[in-house]
C-alpha cells in the first residue's frame, strides 16, 4: 500500500493552462490506473494519484511497495503495463521529448550502486533522457576535460 504525503506550496501560479484544470482542480501530474507487471509479479497495481499545480509531493512506503517502479514509470525508464500518466494535461510517452523536459528525477544519496564509476553514472543520467550513446560519450568527455 502506498502512503502519500503532500503539502501545498504557498506560491501558486497566476495562470494555469485550461487543459490542466478540470472541475476546478488544477492537475499537474495525474496517474490513472497505473499498473506495472513483471511476468506474474505486479509491482504497481492500478495506482491513481493526482498532484496539483503548486504542490510538493513525497512518495513513501515500505521496501517493495513499488515506489521506485512508479518513479521509473513517471520518468519513462519503464513503460506501464496498463493505465496512463498525464503531465500538464498531456499523456506522457517516450515520444514526447518536450514533455519529458518538464520532468526531473533527483535520486537520494545512496540510490546509485556504490560500485558505479562516474562514466556509468553519467551514462545512466543520459539514458534517462534517451540521449544517443554518441552524445553521452561526447558529454562525458566534456565533463572529464572540465574536471581534469
Amino acid at each position: 500500500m502506498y502512503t502519500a504525503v503532500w503539502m501545498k506550496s504557498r506560491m501558486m501560479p497566476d495562470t494555469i493552462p485550461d487543459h490542466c484544470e478540470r472541475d476546478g482542480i488544477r492537475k499537474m501530474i495525474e496517474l490513472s490506473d497505473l499498473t506495472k507487471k513483471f511476468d506474474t509479479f505486479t509491482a504497481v497495481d492500478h495506482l491513481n494519484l493526482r498532484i496539483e499545480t503548486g504542490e510538493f509531493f513525497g512518495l513513501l512506503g515500505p521496501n517493495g511497495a513499488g515506489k521506485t517502479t512508479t518513479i521509473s514509470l513517471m520518468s519513462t525508464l519503464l513503460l506501464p503495463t496498463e493505465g496512463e500518466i498525464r503531465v500538464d494535461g498531456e499523456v506522457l510517452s517516450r515520444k514526447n521529448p518536450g514533455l519529458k523536459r518538464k520532468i526531473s528525477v533527483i535520486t537520494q544519496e545512496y540510490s546509485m550502486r556504490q560500485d558505479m564509476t562516474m562514466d556509468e553514472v553519467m551514462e545512466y543520467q543520459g539514458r534517462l533522457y534517451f540521449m544517443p550513446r554518441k552524445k553521452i560519450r561526447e558529454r562525458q568527455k566534456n565533463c572529464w576535460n572540465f574536471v581534469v
Side-chain angles (χ1 to χ4, degrees):
M1 187 68 179
Y2 284 94
T3 304
V5 178
W6 64 91
M7 171 181 66
K8 283 195 185 270
S9 167
R10 292 183 182 170
M11 299 182 71
M12 295 290 289
D14 292 331
T15 58
I16 306 295
D18 291 337
H19 64 272
C20 293
E21 190 167 352
R22 195 179 319 152
D23 303 323
I25 299 171
R26 299 168 175 163
K27 294 176 275 200
M28 182 48 69
I29 299 172
E30 185 175 19
L31 312 181
S32 301
D33 288 322
L34 191 64
T35 301
K36 181 61 181 178
K37 295 181 180 182
F38 298 96
D39 295 321
T40 59
F41 177 73
T42 302
V44 176
D45 191 10
H46 295 90
L47 175 62
N48 291 290
L49 173 68
R50 180 178 56 223
I51 303 170
E52 297 177 20
T53 300
E55 287 184 324
F56 293 97
F57 185 83
L59 192 58
L60 306 173
N63 291 344
K67 302 177 300 295
T68 300
T69 302
T70 300
I71 297 301
S72 295
L73 290 164
M74 291 173 70
S75 64
T76 73
L77 282 175
L78 294 175
L79 297 175
T81 305
E82 296 177 39
E84 71 178 10
I85 301 167
R86 289 185 172 269
V87 174
D88 200 16
E90 296 180 56
V91 175
L92 181 63
S93 75
R94 289 179 176 172
K95 297 177 183 177
N96 191 340
L99 190 57
K100 274 195 62 122
R101 287 188 185 99
K102 294 181 179 184
I103 299 169
S104 181
V105 177
I106 302 171
T107 59
Q108 63 187 16
E109 184 178 350
Y110 296 107
S111 62
M112 296 283 188
R113 286 191 355 235
Q114 296 303 300
D115 63 338
M116 289 177 78
T117 66
M118 283 305 298
D119 281 326
E120 290 169 332
V121 170
M122 287 188 277
E123 182 173 348
Y124 174 79
Q125 293 296 320
R127 292 182 64 207
L128 277 174
Y129 292 92
F130 300 97
M131 189 181 285
R133 288 189 190 274
K134 183 177 180 181
K135 188 75 163 175
I136 292 171
R137 299 287 183 242
E138 181 183 306
R139 296 256 176 111
Q140 285 171 323
K141 184 179 176 184
N142 289 343
C143 284
W144 283 120
N145 288 338
F146 179 77
V147 172
V148 177

